[in-house]
Amino acid sequence: MGTLRSVDLAWLDSAPVRCTKSRALHHPPAAVFAAIAGDPGGWGRWFPGFDDSGHYTDEAPHGTGSVRKVRVGGVTVTERVLAWDEPSRWAFCAESTGIPSFAALAEDYRLAPTSDGSLLTWTFAVDPGRMPRVVFAPLPMVIERLMQRFCTNLDRVLDRPGAATNSSED
């Protein structure tokens, strides 16, 4: 298993490679936050590449410092929560992956209310380690397309009856 360097929230602003994108959702911040932070297994329903096996490894209640395991692209990733500020911010850093990868990786999800839902701002930050930085040249385009897909999917999932319930006890 590949171990990544542990980082903090401040690192998100100084990461060697970072990309920030925003997109509107048609649901209030509390519902979006519950889906993002409270239901790791639910990511398989809306975030491309994830399966439904995601779970927190520690007991509820979950918050800053909690650890979750997810599978994305067939690879298991262990993540530590850096921020749990319901309903406005959830961030994590990856601590290990099933394959050797980056030196460090963190993501930040910020939510702000709008007149018809919320604005999600997503920051993807990485230290490529030994990987050439040129590999990350298309990152803004990739993040934009990925965010478009997962936000569309998330809106659809949250439109379903009962979707607004918080599954953080899973």
Side-chain angles (χ1 to χ4, degrees):
M1 186 162 278
T3 301
L4 284 76
R5 185 176 76 250
S6 188
V7 297
D8 60 16
L9 287 174
W11 184 81
L12 283 158
D13 295 326
S14 62
V17 176
R18 61 190 302 273
C19 183
T20 299
K21 298 287 182 182
S22 295
R23 191 151 188 94
L25 288 143
H26 301 292
H27 296 275
V32 178
F33 186 92
I36 290 172
D39 187 9
W43 283 51
R45 292 189 301 272
W46 54 270
F47 202 112
F50 279 77
D51 70 14
D52 63 357
S53 68
H55 63 280
Y56 283 102
T57 63
D58 45 3
E59 297 293 321
H62 300 111
T64 301
S66 289
V67 174
R68 73 178 200 159
K69 284 193 177 188
V70 296
R71 285 185 57 79
V72 58
V75 176
T76 299
V77 181
T78 302
E79 304 165 342
R80 182 176 43 84
V81 176
L82 299 174
W84 186 297
D85 302 324
E86 191 170 348
S88 59
R89 186 179 192 190
W90 185 78
F92 71 87
C93 70
E95 295 198 318
S96 65
T97 67
I99 58 170
S101 62
F102 318 115
L105 181 145
E107 296 183 32
D108 192 7
Y109 296 80
R110 293 182 185 227
L111 292 153
T114 63
S115 61
D116 65 341
S118 38
L119 180 68
L120 171 63
T121 300
W122 177 35
T123 298
F124 179 89
V126 64
D127 178 345
R130 295 182 181 155
M131 295 178 74
R133 288 192 189 185
V134 69
V135 171
F136 294 91
L139 186 63
M141 180 182 63
V142 170
I143 293 295
E144 179 69 31
R145 287 185 180 164
L146 185 57
M147 188 174 200
Q148 179 179 4
R149 286 184 62 203
F150 85 67
C151 284
T152 298
N153 294 344
L154 185 53
D155 262 339
R156 286 182 187 147
V157 166
L158 291 175
D159 282 341
R160 296 179 188 147
T165 60
N166 185 341
S167 307
S168 63
E169 295 165 7
D170 293 345

